[in-house]
Structure formats: C-alpha cells, structure tokens
Amino acid sequence: MARMTIGKGVDDYIANLDKLKYRVPEVAGKALYQGARVVADQIRANIEALPTEERNSRNRGRRNPTPEEKAGLLEGLGIAKKRMENGNINVKIGMDGYNSDVTEKYPKGKPNAMVARSIESGTTFIQRHPFISSAVRSSKAAAEAAMEAEVDKQIAEIMGDG
C-alpha cells in the first residue's frame, strides 16, 4: 500500500490559497485594467487612422470627421474606474468631454461621445467608420493574454513565488 507524508509545505500552500481567496476582486480589477489598456490603445490607433475632411469642402454627401472632431476623440478617450455591478467587476472605455468644434447649437463644443457614435455608426451626414467595434474585435486575443499575464503575476506575488 502506498504511503504519503505531508509536511509543513502544504500548510503554507493552504494559507496562501486562503490569502488569495480574499484578494480576488483586487486581482481581477488589475487584470481588467490591463485588458482595457490594450483595447484602448487599439481604439486610439484606429482614431488616429481615421480620414479627416475640412468642413467647408464641397462634398455634398456624407463626409468624414473634421480634424477638430478627431482631436476631441483622442483627448476624450479614457478608461473609467472599475465598478462592481451584480457581482461582476466592470471597466468601461469611452469618450468624455467636448471637442473644440464650437457651434451655435453646441457652445461648449460637440460632445465627444455623440461624435464617436456618429462616426462609429454613420449618419446621413457622416460616413460610417466603425473604429471602436473593429478595435474590440482585433484586440480581443491580446487583451485576454494581457489579463492572463496580470493574473499570473498577481497570484505569484500573493503565493510568494515572485
């Protein structure tokens, strides 16, 4: 019959697992921020690649965003603080603030979130450029890898291996 002797190492391992149990939200939050950073960087690259068009061009049909709208999107892009909602930890990537394109209707400038939705989906006057959805699709694997690496790093620190 086989025999096994368990020493002090198992007790230390169980104690470390117990520490890990209480730090799961912290570890998950750090991992989510790493994944969100990868996606936000891809969105930023897609915004920089958007074609621009001056407003007073003679194009009567759909147009591309103006340089002011594009600059506003780059300035307003950000990652919100993590929130716990229904047992899930969420971070959101989005546009905040106003751009410098002041009009009579928008005396503070156009809202960046509105401009982003208009460019993403297209309107009767702005050509469709799905820069957010394509960034999310193309960066999904890289974001998952970044989150996995961060979780591994955090677990190694908590467990005492790093």
Side-chain angles (χ1 to χ4, degrees), residues 26-43:
E26 174 190 344
V27 171
K30 288 180 180 181
L32 281 173
Y33 276 122
Q34 290 299 320
R37 187 172 292 121
V38 170
V39 176
D41 288 345
Q42 184 61 49
I43 291 172

Side-chain angles (χ1 to χ4, degrees), residues 40 43-44 47 72-80 91-97 112-113 116 132:
I43 291 172
R44 184 174 311 283
I47 292 171
L73 292 178
L74 287 169
E75 286 178 27
L77 180 64
I79 302 171
V91 294
K92 295 181 181 180
I93 303 170
M95 309 297 164
D96 190 30
N112 287 325
I132 296 173

Side-chain angles (χ1 to χ4, degrees), residues 9-19 159:
V10 172
D11 292 334
D12 291 341
Y13 187 73
I14 291 172
N16 284 336
L17 284 176
D18 196 44
K19 283 192 288 186
M159 299 295 278

Side-chain angles (χ1 to χ4, degrees), residues 44 47 50 65 68-78 94-95 99 111-113 115-117 119 131:
R44 184 174 311 283
I47 292 171
L50 284 173
E68 294 84 10
E69 290 170 338
K70 183 175 172 177
L73 292 178
L74 287 169
E75 286 178 27
L77 180 64
M95 309 297 164
N99 63 31
N112 287 325
V115 172
R117 283 191 310 269
I119 296 169
F131 65 98

Side-chain angles (χ1 to χ4, degrees), residues 88-147:
N88 297 317
I89 301 172
N90 295 319
V91 294
K92 295 181 181 180
I93 303 170
M95 309 297 164
D96 190 30
Y98 300 89
N99 63 31
S100 63
D101 192 6
V102 176
T103 64
E104 188 176 314
K105 185 175 180 179
Y106 300 106
K108 293 192 294 186
K110 293 178 184 172
N112 287 325
M114 177 193 74
V115 172
R117 283 191 310 269
S118 298
I119 296 169
E120 177 75 16
S121 303
T123 66
T124 57
F125 55 89
I126 293 182
Q127 188 171 343
R128 180 176 189 261
H129 294 285
F131 65 98
I132 296 173
S133 58
S134 66
V136 171
R137 277 192 311 275
S138 67
S139 64
K140 182 179 178 181
E144 288 174 349
M147 291 189 306

